[in-house]
Amino acid sequence: MKILLDTRKIHDYGIGVYIQNLFQGIADQENFQCRAVHLRGTDALDMPRDRVIEVSAKNYDLLE
């Protein structure tokens, strides 16, 4: 199964912790192919660079 995670809020409290735990749980499974959307210029997840899609879009807010 292919999964794309939006990790733009990875460093926030609450949702960031949830995203980190979700990612770690999924990434450890062999039947999943994970990729992550991540903000350019910020620390990325601990995953191979070819699986990270860097974007320069603004971080989303409550209105989004």
Side-chain angles (χ1 to χ4, degrees), residues 8 37-43 49 52-57:
R8 293 179 291 169
V37 174
H38 194 75
L39 285 175
R40 182 174 288 124
T42 59
D43 295 332
R49 298 301 299 165
V52 176
I53 302 168
E54 290 189 335
V55 296
S56 59

Side-chain angles (χ1 to χ4, degrees), residues 20-32 34 46:
Q20 287 176 0
N21 291 329
L22 180 66
F23 175 77
Q24 288 173 345
I26 292 172
D28 291 340
Q29 304 295 318
E30 291 188 19
N31 54 338
F32 292 109
C34 295
D46 184 21

